[in-house]
Amino acid sequence: MALKMVKGSIDRIFDKNLQDLVRGVRSHREDEAKYISSCIDEIKQELKQDNIAVKANAVCKLTYLQMLGYDISWAAFNIVEVMSSSKFTYKRIGYLAASQCFHDGTDVIMLTTNQIRKDLSSPNQYDTGVALTGLSCFVTPDLARDLANDIMTLMSHTKPYIRKKAVLIMYKVFLKYPESLRPAFPRLKEKLDDPDPGVQSAAVNVICELARRNPRNYLSLAPLFFKLMTSSTNNWVLIKIIKLFGALTPLEPRLGKKLIEPLTNLIHSTSAMSLLYECVNTVIADCCVCVKTDTCPRPPQLCVQKLRILIEDSDQNLKYLGLLAMSKILKTHPKSVQSHKDLVLQCLDDKDESIRLRALDLLYGMVSKKNLMEIVKKLMVHVDKAEGTTYRDELLTKIIDICSQSNYQYITNFEWYISILVELTRLEGTRHGHLIASQMLDVAVRVKAIRGFAVVQMATLLDNTTLLAGSGQHKSICEVLYAAAWICGEFSEHLEDPVHTLEAMLRPKVATLPGHIQAIYIQNAAKLFAAVLNGQQGTPDCQTMQESSQLLIDRLPLFVQSADLEVQERASCILQLVKFIQKLQHKEVEVGEEVTALFAGELNPVAPKAQKKVPVPDGLDLDAWINEPPSESESEDEKPVAVFAEEELRHARPHHTEVDEKELARRREARKQEQANNPFYIKASPTSQKDSTGVEHIPVVQIDLSVPLKVPGMSTSDKYLKLEEERRQRERKERGKKEKKKKKKREKRSGMGRRHDSGPESEEDIAPAHMVDIVTEEMPENALSSDDDEKDPNDPYRALDVDLDKPLADSEKLPVRAHRPTNILKSPADDGEVQEVPKEPKKKSKKEKRDKEEERKVRLLWLRCPNGEIQCTCTKSSKHKKKKQKKDKEKEEKKRKKQHGHSGDREGEESVQNGTLEEEPLPVCDIQGNLQNGSQVVVSIIFENKSTSFLKSMEFNVLDSLNSKLQRPEGSGPHDGLTVPFQLPPGVSNEARFIFSVQSIVMPQRLKGTLTFIVKADDSSTHEKLDFKLHFTCSSYLITTPCYSDTFAKLLESADLKGTSVRLQEVSLPFHHLLAKICFHHHFSVVERIDSCASLYSRSIQGHHVCLLVKYAHQTVTIDAKCDESSLLGNVLEEIKKTFSQS
Amino acid sequence: MQFMLLFSRQGKLRLQKWYVPLSDKEKKKITRELVQTVLARKPKMCSFLEWRDLKIVYKRYASLYFCCAIEDQDNELITLEIIHRYVELLDKYFGSVCELDIIFNFEKAYFILDEFLLGGEAQETSKKNVLKAIEQADLLQENQSEDWGGLAAEEVL
């Protein structure tokens, strides 16, 4: 052994340490991957050595590699080994590696529970610290459940260093194991008064984080925090407290008022920007609340001033945050922000794009009828000078957002808006053609008064098709033509010169547009044509009509050949129609009306949510099957046959033959052949033009225009701005005159008329330029008005939404493990069982609401508990300890019920039932047995009184079996009960231990027992009894004992062991879970694991060796087992089998 | 705080600390995306950006970027303060820290961070206390290493 150690340390000299590795990686820039893979090979060798120093060094290097992006999950087990080192140096490295690479899915985490528990209770505060730090990164729900109690204990540690960490990590524990919140909260609250400022601040941190998610439960802490806020000088703490209040005030508006003063003081006094910012934010949030309840003391003028200072600051960060906060004020106090428009517009020029975008957001809320045009004008200037298309596109969308918000509320002049949209189409390379198009359509459809103007503008756009389609690589802008064509077609009655527009829509260049736009062109050309016919109706001169028919007949064939199906179809359809019309025209038949009838009727806008809002008619159940679903039993082969046969009979449908793949292929081939031989068949080719050279082969010169072209004849929006101003002025004057007149009149009449304040023009005074009728979108009749937004059921914080003021129920106790031996391999899944026991009966008993017999409920609880199992384990001193899980205690009382239930009606009854259920004593199941020697079991039971009455004279008795006997004091008879050495006031718990002697451990044992006690109420006492069962399984006689593989091999070779095997089928667990389960439930330790095969070892309290070989393949687990006691082995295997059949 | 990343101007990750459990794949994806986004920003730009549903706060110190992800309601300025304080701690510990210190002693950088932040929350606002804790832990480590120097006497026994 010594030689090995020496050898190990000599090897070490040649090992690379971390620095060497880093250096190596840096000097192998070219072939980094290769170098690292050789390093990983070395590390793998190092990890195989027994020397922990070598291993730790290897793990440290792996942590570095992990940061470089290499997978080190394969070394997870080695990391655990290093974590378990007794030396802080290595432990620290192990925990670091674990915190960097463990996550919820890491299997080996479940092996760490006991190691972590040991470290948590280490006398060295740095061991504890390092474990807490690590845990904060990789805590899983299982770890959280198993360690919650240990961590909670650490919250009261003597060293503030540990307390602080323990408090902080509790937050992570709550998130992973929400049940721990209620039991741990009182202690957490105590920590708010901790003498150490660090601990106090940690507690504030945690409670603040909790309260932000579920503020309602923390309202009762408001006074406490208020006191803290006024006394604390630590900015970090203050920020957290203020944040907490920010979360509370929406629930308690009075709190907001109370806060204003201290917050204002802070805003005035603090020099820390972070604190100032937090205060301002919270005041803003408070004011939002106040506005809702109509009690706002005053607009946050102070905040706005402070924010202005931030925005004016040269520090980009403050500027950004100032704008951000400003936008929050905007929502509730738009007026107080609007006066800072100048500042915001200034920010649009900032060199930092993120600041410009923030400013844009603000503008969105700042517009009013009065300033919309002016603001948009400024934005248009920015659009022109913006460098970079992203920002320009952002501006474009913002302009449209600003104008279209709340149903075009702020637009007084739609002619202006249309011209803005038209101007925007000149932007090169924008991605938002579609957005502009949909705005054009929306406005034209919904604002009837603007159609005439819009149509004229659109006609101009169409006339300039070449411009739009020719410039730039980004085709998105041509979407605008889609809208233009549709608007011209649909509202063709407003066109000045329909024939000209018709001509424009049928130019050959149109064929280069995307298919869906061409299709719209064709369709609307037809509409235009109808309009032309209709317009010329009755005039003697029919030349125009004939000309336009001829135009269509000449131009449409180009589109009939289009590759786009939609275009082709529409074109050929309309071509035929026009040809027919032409014939009729030659016969001088009036067709105008008939053709117009094709496109008669108005299209109304439909609200996007209309479909969703159609109410479900009475009696229609959408979830019900209309026809019964086909039954599962039908075999798949017969199904199709049967269905077809039936249908054919019933509907006499044309015969459908089922065609198989081969047949299809053959037909395809035949068709191809036929096509090839058919001279009239035009094969699919990139261009389906008849002319094989095709339009695409004609070189098209891309004109790149860097200067936005002024489209001739197009009005500019600026013009409207001026006009609008003039108009407003005029109106104002007129109104002023009228008002004066009115005033005079009124004064004459009564002399007491209410005076109109003719101050600055208010919003409402601005009349729209022309009567604007914004058609609202259509909704179905009886539309449902609810817009329910459901809460996200996956919100991880929802589970933490619990009432913290309610007294703790027994069922909520954290699993107590402090007195347990430390090296039990524990699978989390199991503790759950223990935990859940108290809860399940609750549910069950709720179901039995009618059951008035309290006693019966008590029994129910007990029926669930008896599966108490016994675990054995071995402490380092190799003393045997025995452990029992499960069981006990409860109590009840009919009297309570009588007191509350007197009303007798059902409702009353029910609430009482629920009430009693809550308080009903539930078994607390932390029972622990200690096996001091090979034939003794110590069972410790926690008794907890959940009732409101005093319990006394408790007697614990078990019916002895031949094999297992309760050890009673000398002199007492074999059936005497043991007095529990304490009494239980309401809500109190205590633990008692009982020793059992066991002779043979080869068979499981079930012991029946009773607990008797006296319930003492105010005026009477009743005697009560509880039955229970203790179950000592064979597995519980086993002790988790580590074993080296060589020892294990020797054991197997020896002839004293008898073998047997079992097979478990349909086990869907992953193999590592399976192993963990066996290890945990049955106290085995893994000796070796190779792929899906592992050897396990355990020892009984009487020294029997148990060896398992577990193989896993195709959901089947084979366990070959050897033991020197075959019936023990048989029972253990039986129990293993049971474990898996349950899961 | 959800996570903290340190990376160089060349985009090399120097340190990463995740306070939310994520798979390696996600971590890599996020890192790659963020490093790119942050490096693409111009020097005069503000230190905050919105990214997915998080806020990113970053600051450049010499050739290193310190980058934190915080939640919507968190305070950006205090996060900047945290970054700054961490840099100060590193500076005190290493004595005018440079990128190489962090590369070669990356585990120390983690230890300091762990003493300063726990689970994404500041656990100790006093620089003095953080450094004291680190020094004592280091001392403990050195004492043990010396023990080991005695040819692992313990283990032989």
Side-chain angles (χ1 to χ4, degrees):
Chain A
M1 193 67 173
L3 182 67
K4 205 173 167 191
M5 291 308 302
V6 174
K7 193 166 161 273
S9 54
I10 291 172
D11 284 347
R12 263 193 93 214
I13 300 168
F14 303 105
D15 288 343
K16 268 197 201 83
N17 65 15
L18 176 65
Q19 271 73 19
D20 300 327
L21 175 79
V22 175
R23 243 173 250 128
V25 172
R26 289 168 72 79
S27 60
H28 287 78
R29 289 248 160 82
E30 277 78 52
D31 53 345
E32 188 186 283
K34 201 175 141 207
Y35 175 74
I36 285 175
S37 79
S38 79
C39 288
I40 289 184
D41 288 342
E42 274 171 36
I43 289 169
K44 283 186 176 160
Q45 289 308 315
E46 288 166 25
L47 287 176
K48 281 189 189 147
Q49 294 191 33
D50 286 338
N51 189 326
I52 192 73
V54 177
K55 272 189 192 172
N57 183 42
V59 164
C60 187
K61 289 191 282 184
L62 281 178
T63 316
Y64 184 77
L65 295 181
Q66 191 259 355
M67 186 168 65
L68 298 184
Y70 293 86
D71 176 38
I72 63 159
S73 54
W74 51 269
F77 188 75
N78 302 103
I79 293 174
V80 176
E81 283 181 309
V82 176
M83 276 163 77
S84 344
S85 158
S86 58
K87 293 237 169 67
F88 179 69
T89 322
Y90 309 138
K91 188 183 288 299
R92 206 183 189 190
I93 290 170
Y95 272 102
L96 173 63
S99 64
Q100 291 303 107
C101 79
F102 284 7
H103 51 85
D104 281 0
T106 308
D107 325 330
V108 294
I109 283 193
M110 60 179 91
L111 302 176
T112 58
T113 317
N114 284 294
Q115 179 57 43
I116 296 175
R117 178 172 296 137
K118 206 172 110 192
D119 289 334
L120 289 181
S121 54
S122 158
N124 180 343
Q125 61 167 334
Y126 293 103
D127 282 350
T128 314
V130 100
L132 284 172
T133 308
L135 203 52
S136 73
C137 294
F138 58 77
V139 62
T140 61
D142 297 333
L143 281 177
R145 185 188 48 233
D146 293 346
L147 298 173
N149 195 58
D150 303 69
I151 299 172
M152 195 165 101
T153 318
L154 290 179
M155 281 164 69
S156 312
H157 199 273
T158 49
K159 301 247 172 56
Y161 178 78
I162 299 298
R163 288 208 299 274
K164 178 178 78 185
K165 284 177 189 274
V167 168
L168 278 177
I169 200 176
M170 265 332 257
Y171 179 61
K172 296 275 166 185
V173 172
F174 295 150
L175 283 181
K176 297 287 178 181
Y177 178 53
E179 289 85 343
S180 60
L181 177 56
R182 284 186 15 91
F185 194 74
R187 194 170 290 183
L188 184 59
K189 206 168 129 189
E190 275 167 29
K191 296 294 127 189
L192 288 173
D193 292 327
D194 197 280
D196 183 85
V199 181
Q200 194 186 33
S201 126
V204 171
N205 262 343
V206 173
I207 295 181
C208 168
E209 288 305 306
L210 288 169
R212 270 164 61 180
R213 318 294 180 186
N214 300 294
R216 190 168 302 279
N217 308 320
Y218 301 86
L219 270 177
S220 59
L221 292 180
L224 187 61
F225 276 103
F226 196 81
K227 212 180 89 206
L228 263 180
M229 179 169 80
T230 41
S231 60
S232 176
T233 51
N234 181 335
N235 286 346
W236 302 71
V237 173
L238 279 174
I239 287 179
K240 283 285 173 184
I241 297 178
I242 292 168
K243 204 179 281 296
L244 172 93
F245 278 124
L248 294 184
T249 39
L251 301 169
E252 181 51 275
R254 282 172 303 173
L255 198 56
K257 267 190 199 164
K258 211 176 161 199
L259 280 174
I260 292 276
E261 198 206 321
L263 286 182
T264 314
N265 290 343
L266 276 175
I267 291 176
H268 281 303
S269 63
T270 186
S271 58
M273 279 301 178
S274 48
L275 181 57
L276 172 75
Y277 179 61
E278 195 64 50
C279 292
V280 170
N281 257 337
T282 305
V283 173
I284 295 168
D286 287 356
C287 284
C288 297
V289 178
C290 296
V291 164
K292 271 185 218 140
T293 56
D294 220 24
T295 55
C296 191
R298 65 201 141 122
Q301 211 43 55
L302 175 67
C303 295
V304 181
Q305 279 164 16
K306 283 281 173 186
L307 289 181
R308 189 173 172 108
I309 295 172
L310 289 190
I311 297 173
E312 281 169 341
D313 199 288
S314 60
D315 183 340
Q316 299 289 77
N317 293 336
L318 297 182
K319 210 187 267 283
Y320 177 90
L321 293 179
L323 289 169
L324 196 65
M326 201 72 119
S327 65
K328 285 180 195 154
I329 302 188
L330 191 69
K331 283 179 200 135
T332 48
H333 297 83
K335 290 235 171 76
S336 42
V337 181
Q338 268 160 13
S339 53
H340 300 282
K341 200 178 69 198
D342 56 317
L343 192 62
V344 177
L345 284 172
Q346 238 174 53
C347 291
L348 283 181
D349 293 322
D350 200 280
K351 47 194 177 301
D352 182 348
E353 194 174 297
S354 40
I355 288 179
R356 292 197 301 253
L357 292 176
R358 282 278 149 244
L360 273 181
D361 284 346
L362 262 180
L363 277 182
Y364 178 82
M366 284 180 135
V367 291
S368 63
K369 282 185 180 167
K370 203 163 57 167
N371 62 19
L372 174 71
M373 286 177 145
E374 185 196 343
I375 287 181
V376 171
K377 185 188 164 191
K378 292 229 168 89
L379 290 180
M380 290 300 281
V381 174
H382 282 282
V383 169
D384 276 343
K385 51 179 196 187
E387 81 280 14
T389 44
T390 356
Y391 179 58
R392 205 167 50 180
D393 276 356
E394 189 61 37
L395 274 169
L396 188 153
T397 43
K398 267 285 151 6
I399 291 176
I400 289 179
D401 277 357
I402 288 176
C403 294
S404 63
Q405 65 176 313
S406 8
N407 216 3
Y408 308 103
Q409 189 191 346
Y410 301 114
I411 296 185
T412 49
N413 186 333
F414 278 92
E415 287 186 14
W416 164 81
Y417 186 44
I418 292 279
S419 19
I420 287 285
L421 289 175
V422 171
E423 271 176 52
L424 288 176
T425 62
R426 289 190 220 133
L427 284 187
E428 269 176 72
T430 179
R431 287 179 296 114
H432 294 298
H434 190 77
L435 185 62
I436 303 176
S438 65
Q439 281 291 298
M440 288 174 167
L441 286 172
D442 197 41
V443 172
V445 170
R446 294 173 58 195
V447 187
K448 283 190 180 145
I450 202 64
R451 285 178 190 165
F453 179 81
V455 167
V456 175
Q457 293 291 308
M458 295 304 123
T460 331
L461 276 183
L462 288 179
D463 218 12
N464 289 286
T465 301
T466 40
L467 233 183
L468 290 158
S471 71
Q473 309 83 332
H474 293 273
K475 292 281 184 193
S476 163
I477 197 63
C478 60
E479 289 292 332
V480 171
L481 294 176
Y482 177 100
W486 190 86
I487 291 170
C488 287
E490 187 64 24
F491 307 118
S492 48
E493 67 270 21
H494 299 289
L495 271 178
E496 285 157 2
D497 185 358
V499 183
H500 180 73
T501 310
L502 183 61
E503 193 274 331
M505 280 166 80
L506 292 169
R507 285 175 198 159
K509 269 253 166 168
V510 170
T512 59
L513 288 171
H516 66 284
I517 300 180
Q518 287 185 54
I520 283 291
Y521 265 69
I522 310 279
Q523 187 73 8
N524 286 285
K527 288 186 199 164
L528 275 182
F529 177 61
V532 172
L533 290 187
N534 210 23
Q536 300 292 324
Q537 200 96 2
T539 50
D541 162 40
C542 54
Q543 204 193 336
T544 329
M545 290 200 277
Q546 278 168 5
E547 270 173 17
S548 36
S549 315
Q550 196 50 49
L551 178 73
L552 282 164
I553 290 169
D554 292 345
R555 300 276 177 86
L556 280 176
L558 174 67
F559 299 99
V560 174
Q561 293 154 4
S562 168
D564 190 288
L565 273 187
E566 184 74 17
V567 179
Q568 200 184 74
E569 188 177 4
R570 290 192 191 204
S572 56
C573 181
I574 286 161
L575 182 60
Q576 291 312 314
L577 180 71
V578 177
K579 280 184 181 161
F580 181 67
I581 291 168
Q582 200 182 31
K583 262 186 221 160
L584 292 176
Q585 280 173 339
H586 288 315
K587 291 181 196 158
E588 304 203 345
V589 182
E590 296 266 305
V591 288
E593 255 168 57
E594 282 85 348
V595 180
T596 320
L598 282 175
F599 308 106
E602 194 150 329
L603 296 172
N604 289 335
V606 175
K609 282 184 189 160
Q611 178 73 45
K612 212 168 97 191
K613 303 246 166 160
V614 178
V616 179
D618 281 344
L620 174 62
D621 179 3
L622 290 175
D623 294 327
W625 287 93
I626 297 174
N627 295 314
E628 278 307 306
S631 72
E632 302 276 318
S633 61
E634 240 176 331
S635 100
E636 287 199 18
D637 304 326
E638 0 183 277
K639 222 196 301 178
V641 178
V643 169
F644 272 136
E646 241 175 297
E647 273 181 8
E648 268 169 11
L649 285 177
R650 238 187 267 149
H651 311 293
R653 283 169 107 201
H655 194 69
H656 282 255
T657 29
E658 291 254 49
V659 187
D660 65 5
E661 258 315 293
K662 264 188 206 161
E663 173 69 11
L664 276 177
R666 198 186 57 75
R667 287 187 195 176
R668 226 177 274 132
E669 200 45 49
R671 197 165 51 238
K672 272 192 199 148
Q673 207 65 55
E674 194 187 85
Q675 285 167 359
N677 298 334
N678 184 347
F680 302 106
Y681 186 85
I682 301 164
K683 274 146 244 140
S685 66
T687 68
S688 59
Q689 254 96 8
K690 231 181 216 162
D691 183 354
S692 64
T693 51
V695 183
E696 290 182 11
H697 300 280
I698 302 168
V700 178
V701 182
Q702 293 270 346
I703 310 167
D704 197 15
L705 296 160
S706 51
V707 189
L709 285 176
K710 283 266 186 261
V711 180
M714 220 177 257
S715 56
T716 68
S717 55
D718 289 359
K719 195 176 80 192
Y720 285 94
L721 188 58
K722 244 180 241 157
L723 283 176
E724 179 72 11
E725 264 159 26
E726 282 166 20
R727 183 181 70 84
R728 281 187 196 169
Q729 238 161 15
R730 220 167 38 235
E731 274 178 11
R732 216 174 300 149
K733 264 186 216 153
E734 274 169 30
R735 207 174 322 123
K737 274 185 214 157
K738 272 186 205 159
E739 220 135 86
K740 262 182 215 156
K741 274 186 205 159
K742 270 190 207 159
K743 244 187 247 168
K744 273 181 200 159
K745 270 186 201 163
R746 236 183 275 141
E747 275 164 17
K748 268 184 206 161
R749 253 188 244 152
S750 63
M752 292 170 69
R754 230 197 291 155
R755 278 173 187 258
H756 274 246
D757 199 0
S758 50
E761 193 177 24
S762 74
E763 282 288 282
E764 294 71 28
D765 292 341
I766 303 172
H770 23 69
M771 271 320 287
V772 175
D773 164 30
I774 301 180
V775 185
T776 46
E777 293 164 323
E778 288 196 339
M779 280 293 210
E781 286 170 48
N782 324 323
L784 306 164
S785 59
S786 60
D787 258 53
D788 10 280
D789 46 346
E790 292 130 37
K791 254 196 161 181
D792 178 11
N794 296 328
D795 181 4
Y797 303 108
R798 228 170 46 152
L800 289 180
D801 190 2
V802 290
D803 184 356
L804 294 164
D805 299 327
K806 217 170 59 183
L808 273 187
D810 271 2
S811 53
E812 290 178 299
K813 272 256 164 130
L814 290 178
V816 183
R817 311 229 167 267
H819 45 296
R820 253 203 193 180
T822 47
N823 52 351
I824 310 170
L825 255 190
K826 165 163 318 185
S827 147
D830 260 28
D831 284 27
E833 200 184 329
V834 175
Q835 272 274 316
E836 275 153 25
V837 170
K839 271 191 265 157
E840 281 176 43
K842 221 178 185 173
K843 265 190 226 152
K844 210 163 184 174
S845 42
K846 260 181 197 163
K847 278 184 203 150
E848 309 213 348
K849 275 183 185 164
R850 295 288 159 82
D851 182 2
K852 292 184 188 169
E853 261 311 284
E854 289 301 325
E855 293 289 354
R856 287 213 35 205
K857 254 183 244 149
V858 172
R859 290 248 166 74
L860 261 177
L861 301 175
W862 276 101
L863 286 178
R864 304 228 95 215
C865 304
N867 54 338
E869 51 162 322
I870 302 173
Q871 298 184 331
C872 310
T873 186
C874 150
T875 57
K876 272 186 200 152
S877 54
S878 81
K879 261 188 209 157
H880 291 144
K881 285 200 176 178
K882 185 97 232 259
K883 165 156 298 190
K884 213 194 138 242
Q885 298 269 130
K886 186 87 307 133
K887 208 52 30 37
D888 215 314
K889 182 56 279 202
E890 130 9 22
K891 140 45 348 246
E892 196 359 66
E893 219 209 65
K894 294 171 189 166
K895 214 173 157 226
R896 267 186 64 79
K897 200 173 167 195
K898 279 184 201 148
Q899 281 168 354
H900 295 266
H902 53 79
S903 64
D905 66 351
R906 250 204 84 191
E907 219 176 298
E909 193 97 39
E910 224 161 39
S911 67
V912 173
Q913 285 276 18
N914 289 340
T916 38
L917 284 176
E918 296 275 295
E919 279 152 305
E920 179 161 301
L922 295 168
V924 164
C925 26
D926 204 76
I927 298 184
Q928 169 187 343
N930 267 336
L931 196 67
Q932 301 293 354
N933 59 42
S935 59
Q936 264 190 3
V937 178
V938 178
V939 176
S940 26
I941 299 175
I942 293 178
F943 297 88
E944 177 151 1
N945 180 1
K946 257 310 219 167
S947 74
T948 51
S949 307
F950 198 86
L951 301 186
K952 59 177 200 174
S953 308
M954 290 189 279
E955 270 198 9
F956 177 87
N957 201 356
V958 171
L959 207 58
D960 291 350
S961 69
L962 279 177
N963 194 29
S964 315
K965 292 185 170 62
L966 176 62
Q967 290 200 348
R968 298 176 168 87
E970 295 212 4
S972 52
H975 303 296
D976 292 351
L978 288 182
T979 309
V980 179
F982 46 77
Q983 301 182 331
L984 285 179
V988 169
S989 64
N990 209 335
E991 179 184 313
R993 294 179 170 217
F994 304 96
I995 298 171
F996 289 79
S997 56
V998 184
Q999 285 180 349
S1000 158
I1001 60 159
V1002 301
M1003 298 288 282
Q1005 289 286 317
R1006 234 175 246 272
L1007 297 182
K1008 280 187 184 169
T1010 42
L1011 181 77
T1012 55
F1013 49 91
I1014 291 170
V1015 180
K1016 198 167 178 299
D1018 296 342
D1019 47 354
S1020 67
S1021 304
T1022 41
H1023 210 85
E1024 303 274 349
K1025 191 179 107 175
L1026 268 180
D1027 291 326
F1028 60 88
K1029 277 183 195 166
L1030 294 176
H1031 188 191
F1032 300 4
T1033 60
C1034 276
S1035 300
S1036 55
Y1037 298 120
L1038 297 182
I1039 308 154
T1040 313
T1041 317
C1043 179
Y1044 290 106
S1045 49
D1046 41 354
T1047 332
F1048 187 78
K1050 266 184 212 139
L1051 262 177
L1052 287 181
E1053 281 162 19
S1054 72
D1056 341 330
L1057 300 187
K1058 285 151 231 154
T1060 177
S1061 68
V1062 288
R1063 180 181 274 261
L1064 308 171
Q1065 249 135 15
E1066 287 173 41
V1067 177
S1068 52
L1069 287 174
F1071 188 57
H1072 57 270
H1073 280 178
L1074 182 114
L1075 285 186
K1077 255 190 134 152
I1078 298 180
C1079 289
F1080 176 73
H1081 286 275
H1082 307 287
H1083 317 123
F1084 280 87
S1085 62
V1086 177
V1087 179
E1088 207 169 10
R1089 177 183 162 184
I1090 300 152
D1091 300 328
S1092 56
C1093 191
S1095 46
L1096 287 82
Y1097 175 79
S1098 188
R1099 213 159 68 101
S1100 81
I1101 51 171
Q1102 294 179 353
H1104 306 290
H1105 301 284
V1106 189
C1107 307
L1108 299 185
L1109 184 64
V1110 184
K1111 287 179 209 153
Y1112 184 68
H1114 312 295
Q1115 302 213 328
T1116 305
V1117 180
T1118 331
I1119 303 179
D1120 295 314
K1122 281 194 167 183
C1123 177
D1124 39 13
E1125 173 50 69
S1126 54
S1127 62
L1128 174 69
L1129 182 63
N1131 283 318
V1132 169
L1133 289 179
E1134 215 34 58
E1135 283 158 16
I1136 292 178
K1137 227 170 161 177
K1138 212 167 151 193
T1139 308
F1140 288 100
S1141 63
Q1142 280 164 358
S1143 56
Chain B
M1 190 187 292
Q2 305 246 328
F3 56 84
M4 183 189 242
L5 301 175
L6 259 73
F7 50 87
S8 69
R9 224 169 16 174
Q10 291 78 34
K12 287 247 186 215
L13 195 59
R14 294 299 179 211
L15 191 136
Q16 53 173 343
K17 193 83 203 175
W18 300 81
Y19 298 109
V20 282
L22 290 172
S23 71
D24 280 353
K25 213 172 132 197
E26 279 170 286
K27 287 182 188 174
K28 269 186 211 166
K29 190 164 164 255
I30 291 175
T31 311
R32 206 179 321 120
E33 224 175 283
L34 269 186
V35 168
Q36 267 173 15
T37 321
V38 170
L39 287 179
R41 289 175 64 92
K42 299 191 186 83
K44 281 289 166 61
M45 285 179 144
C46 68
S47 300
F48 316 121
L49 57 124
E50 279 171 13
W51 180 81
R52 299 196 187 171
D53 53 347
L54 297 174
K55 295 194 285 196
I56 304 298
V57 178
Y58 72 92
K59 193 159 169 74
R60 185 177 153 182
Y61 286 89
S63 59
L64 269 188
Y65 284 87
F66 291 69
C67 173
C68 297
I70 54 174
E71 277 162 64
D72 183 45
Q73 294 158 323
D74 290 330
N75 188 320
E76 292 95 336
L77 291 173
I78 204 75
T79 312
L80 268 186
E81 182 72 13
I82 286 176
I83 293 179
H84 186 69
R85 189 147 298 201
Y86 180 48
V87 174
E88 284 179 328
L89 285 169
L90 290 173
D91 206 51
K92 279 243 168 70
Y93 183 84
F94 289 109
S96 75
V97 67
C98 69
E99 194 184 337
L100 282 179
D101 287 324
I102 295 174
I103 298 175
F104 281 102
N105 300 288
F106 84 112
E107 84 280 18
K108 298 279 187 217
Y110 277 121
F111 295 151
I112 297 172
L113 185 60
D114 287 340
E115 285 301 329
F116 176 44
L117 298 179
L118 194 132
E121 299 288 334
Q123 62 163 318
E124 182 54 74
T125 53
S126 145
K127 272 180 274 184
K128 212 178 71 194
N129 287 352
V130 175
L131 288 173
K132 206 174 82 191
I134 285 290
E135 275 159 23
Q136 285 182 354
D138 282 350
L139 205 64
L140 192 64
Q141 173 167 346
E142 268 157 38
N143 289 341
Q144 285 188 352
S145 308
E146 278 163 30
D147 288 351
W148 202 89
L151 230 182
E154 241 176 82
E155 278 173 58
V156 177
L157 292 172

